[in-house]
Amino acid sequence: MCDCDKINTLSLPSHLKIYTIMAKYTIKKEYEGLSSEVGNFGKVWWSEATQEVLSYLYEEREMKSIITKISSNEESSIKKTNKKNKSVKKDD
């Protein structure tokens, strides 16, 4: 879990809500279960970080080597592809 006495998620910029609506942020598999000390932010446990924290670190701190961003458009196209694949399998 995050070091909550150092991080106040309520003090994060309000525009992060827009980021979290427009995209989903995930941790790359090699960082699951690990933590990092982020300067002027505190300790972040990657597996337990909220979408707001991940969006801040991705968008504002550009921690793109640890965090992956999936836009809403990409996510919906992935779901459509999965539905098409399922319908094709049913026909077999």
Side-chain angles (χ1 to χ4, degrees), residues 1-4 7 9 25-27 31-35 43-54 57:
M1 194 167 151
C2 68
D3 193 2
C4 295
I7 302 171
T9 55
Y25 300 86
T26 59
I27 300 302
Y31 291 94
E32 290 178 2
L34 300 177
S35 65
K43 189 171 192 171
V44 178
W45 289 94
W46 295 115
S47 298
E48 299 176 13
T50 65
Q51 285 294 297
E52 288 83 6
V53 169
L54 294 177
L57 294 173

Side-chain angles (χ1 to χ4, degrees), residues 23-79:
K24 181 178 177 183
Y25 300 86
T26 59
I27 300 302
K28 294 183 179 178
K29 292 200 185 277
E30 58 266 23
Y31 291 94
E32 290 178 2
L34 300 177
S35 65
S36 297
E37 188 72 33
V38 180
N40 295 329
F41 190 76
K43 189 171 192 171
V44 178
W45 289 94
W46 295 115
S47 298
E48 299 176 13
T50 65
Q51 285 294 297
E52 288 83 6
V53 169
L54 294 177
S55 67
Y56 170 76
L57 294 173
Y58 184 90
E59 302 291 349
E60 304 293 325
R61 295 289 191 95
E62 299 189 6
M63 298 187 80
K64 297 174 181 175
S65 63
I66 298 173
I67 304 167
T68 303
K69 176 181 178 180
I70 301 172
S71 72
S72 296
N73 293 338
E74 289 176 44
E75 193 171 1
S76 62
S77 67
I78 290 170
K79 287 179 183 177

